[in-house]
Amino acid sequence: MDRGEGGGDLQSLFGGRMSKYYAVEQIAKAMKPQLVNGVWQKPKLSARRIARIRKECLRYGTINGIQAQWNPEWDKPAKSWIPKSPKGHAFDNKLAERVALIDKNLKGMDKLIEETRKEAYLTKPHTFLDIKLDADDYDEFFEIGKRVTSKARKANRAAEAAKAAAKAAAKATTKATAKTTAKATAKSAAETAKEPAKEAEKKEKVNEKQKMGKEGAKKEKGKEAETDKK
């Protein structure tokens, strides 16, 4: 590729638009933003043109036909950023707090150990006289260590079975009584609910009879009056 085709000079590349930027210093200024009257202005050259100038300078060593070297300061500065420190794990981050808490609790640990050991010693019985049994526990306590024959075991099993059967029968009877009481209460409630209706029916019948009696008496009086007139 010839230099003319590849962009040897800026005037041929951009059709004479770059005539006022022939000087390398002016081109360098045009590639950077300028502070004018306290206000920053955009670069006069676009990013596309700056890229073509940079390519020409690095490839051919010229800028607009003038021998020059590319200055790295003319490049667009990359964004600078500081990486954040890793958060780490909560177990590692709170290690100092846990150690401080453990040290604080260990200060009075000797006294706590002595007190707990004393309480445990005092609460446990150490002789037969210290043992306090309830009335129901005496038999079980004295049966410990005794030899039990097969007959005694069978008798105990039979007694336990009889107790279980008695409990089951008692439960069944209680359920039956509960059912019967529930039925009786339901019947009584139904009867009490029907009583006012029955009383109302009786009153209606009595009223009807009274009305019928009054009407019959009136008819008889009318007949008697007719006979008297005749």
Side-chain angles (χ1 to χ4, degrees):
M1 184 184 290
D2 295 333
R3 292 180 63 185
E5 294 178 358
D9 58 352
L10 294 174
Q11 189 172 4
S12 62
L13 282 172
F14 303 111
R17 296 179 187 176
M18 299 293 295
S19 60
K20 61 181 178 179
Y21 300 124
Y22 277 13
V24 176
E25 294 179 356
Q26 291 177 350
I27 293 169
K29 283 183 180 180
M31 286 190 293
K32 285 189 174 183
Q34 300 296 324
L35 184 64
V36 179
N37 296 326
V39 179
W40 284 99
Q41 294 183 356
K42 292 181 180 180
K44 293 182 179 180
L45 294 176
S46 64
R48 180 176 61 81
R49 290 185 177 182
I50 293 168
R52 297 192 73 172
I53 292 167
R54 183 176 181 277
K55 190 185 291 184
E56 178 195 349
C57 185
L58 294 174
R59 186 178 292 176
Y60 304 112
T62 60
I63 295 175
N64 197 23
I66 302 169
Q67 293 291 329
Q69 291 183 354
W70 183 259
N71 190 354
E73 293 181 357
W74 298 343
D75 290 327
K76 188 176 181 180
K79 291 183 179 180
S80 62
W81 61 281
I82 299 171
K84 294 181 180 179
S85 59
K87 292 182 179 179
H89 301 284
F91 180 81
D92 299 329
N93 296 337
K94 295 182 179 180
L95 179 62
E97 295 179 5
R98 293 201 306 276
V99 170
L101 183 63
I102 291 166
D103 292 338
K104 182 180 177 181
N105 293 332
L106 283 174
K107 288 180 180 178
M109 191 57 63
D110 296 334
K111 291 183 180 179
L112 289 173
I113 291 168
E114 289 179 1
E115 289 176 358
T116 51
R117 285 178 179 174
K118 284 180 181 179
E119 289 178 359
Y121 181 81
L122 294 172
T123 53
K124 291 179 181 178
H126 299 284
T127 62
F128 182 77
L129 297 174
D130 295 335
I131 297 171
K132 295 179 181 179
L133 296 174
D134 295 332
D136 298 333
D137 297 334
Y138 277 105
D139 296 334
E140 294 180 0
F141 181 77
F142 286 109
E143 283 180 0
I144 296 170
K146 289 184 179 180
R147 292 183 180 179
V148 182
T149 60
S150 59
K151 290 182 180 180
R153 287 176 183 171
K154 287 180 181 179
N156 292 331
R157 289 174 186 171
E160 289 177 357
K163 287 180 181 179
K167 286 182 180 179
K171 286 182 180 179
T173 52
T174 52
K175 286 182 180 179
T177 52
K179 286 182 180 179
T180 52
T181 52
K183 287 181 180 179
T185 52
K187 285 182 180 179
S188 62
E191 289 176 356
T192 52
K194 289 178 180 179
E195 284 179 358
K198 289 180 180 179
E199 290 179 357
E201 288 179 357
K202 287 180 181 179
K203 287 180 180 180
E204 287 179 358
K205 288 180 181 179
V206 170
N207 292 328
E208 288 178 358
K209 286 180 180 180
Q210 289 177 356
K211 287 180 181 179
M212 292 293 289
K214 288 178 180 180
E215 289 177 357
K218 286 180 180 179
K219 287 179 180 179
E220 288 178 357
K221 287 180 180 180
K223 287 179 181 180
E224 289 177 357
E226 288 177 358
T227 53
D228 293 334
K229 287 179 181 180
K230 290 178 180 181

